[in-house]
Amino acid sequence: MKRGLNCLVIVAFLLAVQIILISADPTVSPSSFSVTPSQNSSFTIIIINTEAVQVGGGTNPNITLVNITLPSSLLFWDGTNSSSASGIFANTSSVLTWTNSSPGIVLPGESITFSFKANATSLGSFTIIVRTMNSTTTTAKNISLTVADTTSPLVTLNSPENNNEDSDGVIVFNCNATDNSALN
C-alpha cells in the first residue's frame, strides 16, 4: 500500500510540474546598428519568442505587445513602420508600439519582424530599447546605435590658383568646405 501511495504522489508531482511555464527571454536581433547622420536609414528588428510551455499547458506565452523606444537623436519617419505579423502598429515621435490583435500570432519559437526608417540627428552612441510583453512577463533588451560621420568633408581651394608664384612672401588661402554633418 505504501508503495502505491508513493507512486501516486510521484505521478501527482510530475503532473503538477508539467503545467509550469518555462520563461525565457525573447531573442532580439541585431544587437547593434551603425548609421550616418542626416541620412534616412532603414532599421529592421527581429524578435524571436523563446518562451516554451511544457506539456499540460499553463499561461499564455504569446507575445502581446512590443514597444521600440528610440533615442531622442533618432527621428522616426512617419508612415514607414511595418510588421511581419498582423496587429496594430502605432507610433509617437519616439516610441513604436505593436499590439497583437489576435491570439496565437507570435507563439513560442516564432518570430516577428519590425521595420521602419529614421534619421539620426547627432553623432555619438545611443540605445534603442525593445520591450516585449506576454501575459506574465515584460522583458527589455537594448540595441546599441552608433552614429558616425564616415564621409570626408568636401574642400575646394579658391585661391591661390595652382602653380601660382608668390612675389611678396604673403600667401592668403581662400577655400570652401562642406560636410553632410556639422563641419568641425
Side-chain angles (χ1 to χ4, degrees), residues 149-178:
D149 184 4
T150 58
T151 305
S152 299
L154 177 62
V155 179
T156 306
L157 179 63
N158 298 327
S159 66
E161 291 183 26
N162 280 341
N163 299 322
N164 256 1
E165 290 190 25
D166 176 48
S167 59
D168 65 359
V170 176
I171 300 175
V172 176
F173 290 93
N174 179 325
C175 62
N176 290 326
T178 57

Side-chain angles (χ1 to χ4, degrees), residues 43 45 65-70 74-82 88-99 114-118 128-131 133:
F43 295 83
I45 297 172
L65 184 70
V66 175
N67 281 341
I68 301 170
T69 304
L70 306 176
L74 194 60
L75 299 179
F76 169 73
W77 263 28
D78 194 30
T80 64
N81 50 320
S82 66
I88 300 164
F89 198 178
N91 62 277
T92 64
S93 61
S94 62
V95 179
L96 308 177
T97 302
W98 174 83
T99 306
F114 298 97
S115 299
F116 59 94
K117 290 184 180 179
I128 298 171
I129 302 169
V130 178
R131 284 187 180 81
M133 289 147 241

Side-chain angles (χ1 to χ4, degrees), residues 20-161:
I20 295 172
L21 175 70
I22 299 172
S23 181
D25 287 340
T27 302
V28 176
S29 66
S31 60
S32 66
F33 287 106
S34 294
V35 297
T36 303
S38 304
Q39 291 186 355
N40 298 314
S41 302
S42 295
F43 295 83
T44 298
I45 297 172
I46 300 170
I47 298 171
I48 300 172
N49 188 356
T50 58
E51 294 210 23
V53 175
Q54 288 189 352
V55 177
T59 57
N60 182 6
N62 189 32
I63 292 177
T64 56
L65 184 70
V66 175
N67 281 341
I68 301 170
T69 304
L70 306 176
S72 61
S73 63
L74 194 60
L75 299 179
F76 169 73
W77 263 28
D78 194 30
T80 64
N81 50 320
S82 66
S83 169
S84 65
S86 63
I88 300 164
F89 198 178
N91 62 277
T92 64
S93 61
S94 62
V95 179
L96 308 177
T97 302
W98 174 83
T99 306
N100 192 345
S101 61
S102 65
I105 289 183
V106 191
L107 291 171
E110 295 181 351
S111 66
I112 184 169
T113 302
F114 298 97
S115 299
F116 59 94
K117 290 184 180 179
N119 188 329
T121 59
S122 58
L123 300 173
S125 296
F126 306 96
T127 301
I128 298 171
I129 302 169
V130 178
R131 284 187 180 81
T132 59
M133 289 147 241
N134 66 19
S135 61
T136 59
T137 310
T138 299
T139 304
K141 299 284 185 168
N142 292 340
I143 299 174
S144 63
L145 171 66
T146 303
V147 182
D149 184 4
T150 58
T151 305
S152 299
L154 177 62
V155 179
T156 306
L157 179 63
N158 298 327
S159 66
E161 291 183 26

